[in-house]
Amino acid sequence: MPFLMGDQSNLLNCTPTDAAARLDAFMTARGVPAYRGAQVAHRLWKTPAPDFEAMLELPASLRAELAATFSIPRLPLVTQQSSADGTQKFLFRLRDGEGIETVAIPEGDRLTLCISSQAGCALQCAFCATGAMGFARNLEAWEIAAQVRELLLLDTPLRATNVVFMGMGEPLMNWGAVDVALTILNDPRGLGIGARHITVSTVGILPGIEALAARPEQFRLALSLHAPTDALRHSLMPINTKYPLAAVVAAAREFDRRVTFEYVLLGGVNDGPAQAVDLARLARECRAFVNLIPLHPGGSLGFTPSSRGATAAFMRTLRARGVTAALRKSRGLDISAACGQLRVERLGRRAPGSPEEHGQVHIA
Ligand code: SAH
């Protein structure tokens, strides 16, 4: 059956509870025993099936009837790249031709997936490749969660232990879909990833932070701070006009679970000693953990990474003031794994929303 936007037949675009109820009603209406519904539900997320046809545990006639009523759409994989450090990057194409990126980062026995919540982004942070491409549209809940599902369907399946909303887009400007996607990711009948292993990263969209805080699960919040003063933050992140630093920091202080400050180190811009002192004060105020992020050079539009010396000094200043800080390792440097880079390289910086051709895609 053809896929429609907001398609009611799509069993992946709702919480596992809703999907189970719809399957239950379907089976009841046909006089089919209820356990058949549970079998199908199991194949949505837990042991994903590529389509109804592949659910060989069901009678063929039931599979055909399911396929005539429901859909379980795929995200077609356009390209997959592997970095020498084990990081893998995936570019998926959406039905309307948009492209979204997912990055898989192995570390010890963990596998962290960095997923996208929007095609493009409206926020235009000065150092970000996604911002440079502009905003196309919000992802639907299933398109967010299916990034995790698709990796389970690879020939060599990748099972995420952690998920971070640090791919393309601003998750808290797409709360309706992110809300449902969080449930799918966390629900034991969905992808079953512990809430403390799921991090929502935001520039500081206050209504979204409140909505996240109102959820009972222990989802983690990461705040993209990047500057310890309003003037500097404003020059790097236009959203600071709407949600200024003081308001964002206040929201972090009130958030009753662990908060991380993200801080991309931009050489000569935000990496000086005075800025480290200011950042330490804000972090202490919020009891926040500080994640220093080396600038990923690919998408960086005129900025340079901080020197090793400046980075080390910045870190020392934070620690000397009692702040817990870590320097994030830059991963996937050889595969353009920074936010938005692969999409820009492979599909071009076309105007959002216009149709595009498949061309120019090679598998690395
Ligand atoms: N919109 C959300 C989530 C997506 S970006 C947010 O801003 O938090 C995830 C993180 O990657 C953000 O902290 C973002 O500022 C950072 N980032 C963007 N471009 C980068 C680059 N070139 N190098 C390093 N980090 C980058």
Side-chain angles (χ1 to χ4, degrees):
M1 106 161 10
F3 171 80
L4 304 167
M5 288 281 289
D7 186 353
Q8 288 306 305
S9 71
N10 183 352
L11 284 177
L12 301 181
N13 207 26
C14 58
T15 63
T17 303
D18 288 347
R22 291 165 69 188
L23 285 164
D24 204 43
F26 173 91
M27 300 300 171
T28 305
R30 285 161 182 75
V32 176
Y35 77 91
R36 293 292 189 193
Q39 280 181 310
V40 178
H42 192 76
R43 303 287 252 134
L44 298 179
W45 301 105
K46 293 242 57 112
T47 314
D51 50 33
F52 290 109
E53 208 37 56
M55 298 181 189
L56 297 175
E57 62 276 35
L58 306 177
S61 58
L62 184 58
R63 281 183 265 148
E65 276 189 79
L66 283 162
T69 308
F70 297 117
S71 63
I72 44 172
R74 302 289 306 271
L75 291 179
L77 183 58
V78 178
T79 180
Q80 174 177 358
Q81 293 178 317
S82 299
S83 162
D85 68 16
T87 302
Q88 291 190 69
K89 181 147 178 162
F90 303 85
L91 178 63
F92 294 108
R93 182 179 296 278
L94 309 180
R95 294 286 170 137
D96 52 4
E98 294 300 333
I100 54 164
E101 303 171 347
T102 307
V103 181
I105 307 159
E107 181 127 55
D109 52 9
R110 295 198 314 193
L111 180 70
T112 300
L113 288 199
C114 179
I115 63 170
S116 296
S117 56
Q118 298 180 316
C121 186
L123 296 177
Q124 313 248 309
C125 297
F127 45 82
C128 177
T130 305
M133 80 179 65
F135 176 70
R137 69 168 170 89
N138 279 329
L139 299 190
E140 294 185 52
W142 79 271
E143 292 170 319
I144 299 172
Q147 295 167 61
V148 184
R149 185 179 193 272
E150 286 298 331
L151 300 201
L152 289 168
L153 285 166
L154 294 172
D155 290 341
T156 311
L158 292 175
R159 184 170 291 274
T161 59
N162 296 62
V163 169
V164 295
F165 283 77
M166 295 183 189
M168 295 164 66
E170 169 50 52
L172 297 186
M173 287 182 76
N174 183 17
W175 176 251
V178 168
D179 192 22
V180 174
L182 285 171
T183 301
I184 297 170
L185 291 171
N186 175 241
D187 192 313
R189 296 157 305 162
L191 290 158
I193 299 167
R196 275 175 302 221
H197 296 157
I198 300 172
T199 301
V200 177
S201 178
T202 180
V203 294
I205 306 297
L206 298 183
I209 295 176
E210 278 169 30
L212 182 66
R215 291 215 36 163
E217 305 93 335
Q218 301 283 304
F219 297 119
R220 301 233 190 246
L221 174 67
L223 275 176
S224 291
L225 222 60
H226 305 323
T229 62
D230 256 320
L232 182 59
R233 193 165 192 264
H234 181 74
S235 73
L236 298 173
M237 305 173 70
I239 191 70
N240 193 68
T241 315
K242 185 155 186 196
Y243 300 114
L245 185 65
V248 172
V249 167
R253 208 168 37 228
E254 278 149 36
F255 197 77
D256 65 357
R257 308 191 288 267
R258 169 187 158 150
V259 175
T260 299
F261 284 172
E262 289 163 280
Y263 198 96
V264 175
L265 286 169
L266 306 167
V269 174
N270 68 353
D271 63 347
Q275 287 145 342
V277 170
D278 286 345
L279 178 62
R281 185 174 39 77
L282 297 177
R284 269 207 316 272
E285 223 177 285
C286 301
R287 289 188 303 282
F289 175 86
V290 175
N291 220 335
L292 296 177
I293 310 171
L295 177 69
H296 225 294
S300 55
L301 320 160
F303 295 94
T304 49
S306 294
S307 67
R308 289 175 66 143
T311 302
F314 201 93
M315 175 75 88
R316 272 198 306 276
T317 304
L318 293 179
R319 289 190 172 153
R321 282 164 173 72
V323 173
T324 329
L327 180 65
R328 186 184 292 169
K329 263 187 278 172
S330 223
R331 301 287 299 261
L333 284 171
D334 50 343
I335 56 165
S336 313
C339 192
Q341 285 181 3
L342 183 64
R343 165 68 177 73
V344 168
E345 278 172 21
R346 294 300 163 107
L347 302 179
R349 289 180 197 266
R350 69 180 170 72
S354 67
E356 59 184 25
E357 296 304 315
H358 273 258
Q360 296 295 332
V361 170
H362 1 184
I363 308 287

